[in-house]
């Protein structure tokens, strides 16, 4: 059994260090991942919104705040067969959804399933690790998250709303079952991509995605033009003290901003 007093201590420790503790990361990640696999099956790679929402639900249950974001994502797409690696992800008229914690960490479990996405160029993709990134001031040259708009879930299709409710019910049930029946040392998940030092450790341990992904850095492979242009646009907005214009304002079918008006 994992006692409430232990969880409260973990939350307090997270607030002191301004980083979610490794145990809470493993706990939340394992429950969301298990529930997503069971509920969505082969469709899991397309459920970035649902998995980000799931992380938010569990963090809220623990007493930690977070926010959902929609924007562009680009990372090295690695395949088992040599000669096919390139850039993969979601940008331009497409989108991706992730979460930021109250400590400004970026959390994204669905990237670990990107190699199984129906839009993948091949079926021998190498999985990248899930991401709970706590060093937002430094990004490796194989990953980009470019935020567009903060969002809250606002499905217009009742079937989507019902499905999300069913997912949340299973998620909370699984969470309670694990807390009641598991020992602390039985909570396993990851490893996460958490910061540059962590990436270096995984690379040294021979993680296949990182070993091959480093070749992008060594060869100085440029990000796609759209990613470079959008990143420059965001940086210019920050320097000018203004919010860069949304590239996804047309996606009013998916989400609404926290104030209630459509933004995505």
């Amino acid at each position: 059994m994992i006692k409430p007093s232990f969880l409260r201590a973990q939350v307090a420790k997270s607030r002191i260090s301004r980083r979610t503790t490794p145990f809470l990361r493993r706990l939340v990640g394992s429950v969301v991942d298990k529930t997503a696999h069971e509920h969505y099956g082969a469709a899991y790679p397309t459920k970035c919104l649902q998995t980000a929402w799931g992380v938010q639900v569990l963090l809220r249950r623990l007493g930690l705040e977070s926010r959902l974001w929609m924007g562009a994502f680009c990372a090295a797409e690695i395949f088992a067969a040599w000669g096919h690696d390139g850039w993969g992800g979601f940008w331009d008229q497409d989108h991706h959804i992730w979460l930021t914690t109250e400590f400004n960490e970026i959390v994204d479990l669905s990237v670990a399933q990107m190699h199984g996405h129906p839009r993948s160029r091949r079926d021998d993709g190498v999985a990248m690790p899930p991401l709970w990134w706590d060093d937002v001031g430094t990004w490796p040259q194989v990953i980009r998250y470019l935020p567009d708009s903060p969002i809250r879930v606002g499905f217009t299709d009742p079937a989507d709303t019902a499905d999300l409710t069913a997912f949340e019910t299973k998620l909370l049930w699984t969470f309670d079952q694990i807390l009641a029946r598991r020992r602390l040392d039985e909570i396993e998940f990851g490893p996460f991509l958490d910061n540059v030092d962590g990436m270096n450790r995984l690379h040294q341990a021979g993680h296949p995605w990182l070993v091959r992904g480093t070749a992008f850095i060594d060869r100085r492979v440029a990000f796609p033009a759209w990613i470079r242009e959008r990143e420059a646009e965001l940086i210019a907005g920050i320097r000018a003290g203004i919010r860069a214009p949304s590239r996804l304002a047309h996606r009013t079918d998916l989400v609404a901003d926290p104030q209630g008006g459509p933004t995505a």
Side-chain angles (χ1 to χ4, degrees):
M1 177 181 182
I2 300 172
K3 297 181 179 180
S5 58
F6 176 79
L7 294 178
R8 289 194 296 270
Q10 288 288 302
V11 170
K13 185 177 180 181
S14 299
R15 289 214 165 94
I16 291 171
S17 65
R18 302 300 299 168
R19 290 183 179 182
T20 310
T21 64
F23 176 81
L24 292 182
R25 295 182 188 194
R26 292 196 303 273
L27 175 63
V28 170
S30 64
V31 174
V32 174
D33 185 70
K34 173 179 170 60
T35 309
H37 273 295
E38 292 175 352
H39 188 71
Y40 292 114
Y44 182 176
T46 68
K47 303 299 181 180
C48 60
L49 185 153
Q50 289 83 352
T51 51
W53 163 258
V55 173
Q56 185 173 61
V57 166
L58 294 188
L59 288 178
R60 187 182 299 125
R61 178 76 172 267
L62 293 165
L64 295 171
E65 296 301 318
S66 60
R67 198 174 206 185
L68 298 179
W69 283 86
M70 180 171 64
F73 166 76
C74 182
E77 189 173 23
I78 308 299
F79 299 97
W82 287 84
H84 301 281
D85 298 349
W87 293 113
F90 311 94
W91 61 84
D92 200 354
Q93 296 304 302
D94 208 343
H95 72 282
H96 187 54
I97 293 173
W98 61 89
L99 173 141
T100 58
T101 70
E102 65 178 76
F103 311 125
N104 206 31
E105 304 158 313
I106 291 181
V107 185
D108 189 355
L109 303 185
S110 67
V111 290
Q113 309 298 321
M114 190 175 72
H115 61 291
H117 196 282
R119 290 180 51 206
S120 179
R121 290 182 287 115
R122 293 175 56 89
D123 60 5
D124 61 342
V126 175
M128 68 177 287
L131 188 134
W132 199 305
W133 192 264
D134 54 40
D135 186 14
V136 294
T138 305
W139 280 100
Q141 291 300 312
V142 288
I143 301 174
R144 280 295 180 274
Y145 280 86
L146 303 178
D148 187 282
S149 304
I151 64 172
R152 65 174 173 82
V153 178
F155 287 121
T156 56
D157 187 337
D160 290 332
T161 302
D163 174 75
L164 192 65
T165 300
F167 177 64
E168 181 182 6
T169 299
K170 292 180 182 178
L171 184 73
L172 293 173
W173 183 87
T174 302
F175 186 66
D176 288 338
Q177 292 295 305
I178 286 176
L179 294 182
R181 299 181 179 183
R182 298 283 183 88
R183 300 189 311 268
L184 295 177
D185 60 358
E186 293 179 315
I187 305 302
E188 297 181 352
F189 187 72
F192 285 105
L193 290 181
D194 52 2
N195 50 51
V196 173
D197 288 340
M199 285 189 71
N200 288 337
R201 287 193 296 271
L202 287 178
H203 179 269
Q204 291 168 7
H207 190 287
W209 184 84
L210 285 167
V211 169
R212 292 274 293 277
T214 351
F216 279 65
I217 301 174
D218 295 340
R219 301 198 312 266
R220 298 186 178 182
V221 179
F223 281 104
W226 192 98
I227 294 293
R228 299 197 306 271
E229 291 166 5
R230 179 59 173 168
E231 185 175 31
E233 187 176 53
L234 292 174
I235 291 172
I238 291 171
R239 289 174 176 169
I242 61 174
R243 181 174 172 178
S246 170
R247 296 286 190 96
L248 296 168
H250 63 286
R251 295 308 303 263
T252 55
D253 58 313
L254 288 179
V255 289
D257 77 357
Q259 287 70 47
T263 63

